[in-house]
Amino acid sequence: QVQLTDSGGGSVQTGGSLRLSCGVSGYIGRRYCMAWFRQAPGKEREEVARIDIYDATRYADSVQGRFTISRANAENALYLQMNDLKPEDTAVYYCAALEYLGYCPRTPDVWGQGTQVTVSS
């Protein structure tokens, strides 16, 4: 059974950087697409970035050019490098695994527990 553990959140000022990590227990190989979601207070959870089994990536418009998603299959890990952070990036960030079905589905199968990111102005 795949389990995900998020880490790396914290508090930074506007313009700062953070790197989130997601440890994966259980073998996923190339069976899963991976993604990062976030949920701000009072808002719905939204997808921030995803990476498929061929390492193709896709980003939300709000983070394009500032965030980079990557995966290290040998380490069973997923990362999100976040640069030029803004107060509107403040949220709980969740890593997620989506079982590849010939395509990457919209809804994750497995969620991490979340890690808080706070950006102050």
Side-chain angles (χ1 to χ4, degrees), residues 6-69:
D6 309 316
S7 63
S11 297
V12 297
Q13 293 188 325
T14 298
S17 297
L18 283 173
R19 187 192 195 207
L20 305 184
S21 299
C22 177
V24 181
S25 65
Y27 178 73
I28 62 169
R30 292 287 178 175
R31 291 176 49 217
Y32 284 86
C33 309
M34 302 294 293
W36 287 96
F37 287 72
R38 68 185 180 188
Q39 187 166 20
K43 294 188 176 181
E44 293 187 354
R45 192 172 297 189
E46 62 173 352
E47 183 176 314
V48 173
R50 66 167 51 197
I51 183 167
D52 70 14
I53 65 169
Y54 303 106
D55 291 339
T57 57
R58 190 174 73 189
Y59 298 91
D61 289 344
S62 59
V63 307
Q64 181 75 46
R66 300 187 297 121
F67 290 11
T68 302
I69 187 172

Side-chain angles (χ1 to χ4, degrees), residues 2-9 19-25 28 32-39 45-51 68-72 76-82 91-99 106-117:
V2 175
Q3 291 184 317
L4 307 177
T5 304
D6 309 316
S7 63
R19 187 192 195 207
L20 305 184
S21 299
C22 177
V24 181
S25 65
I28 62 169
Y32 284 86
C33 309
M34 302 294 293
W36 287 96
F37 287 72
R38 68 185 180 188
Q39 187 166 20
R45 192 172 297 189
E46 62 173 352
E47 183 176 314
V48 173
R50 66 167 51 197
I51 183 167
T68 302
I69 187 172
S70 60
R71 62 193 296 170
N76 253 15
L78 177 73
Y79 303 101
L80 185 69
Q81 178 66 43
M82 305 186 295
V92 178
Y93 284 71
Y94 300 87
C95 69
L98 309 90
E99 187 174 5
R106 179 181 297 273
T107 303
D109 299 284
V110 186
W111 292 94
Q113 83 285 0
T115 184
Q116 176 71 47
V117 171

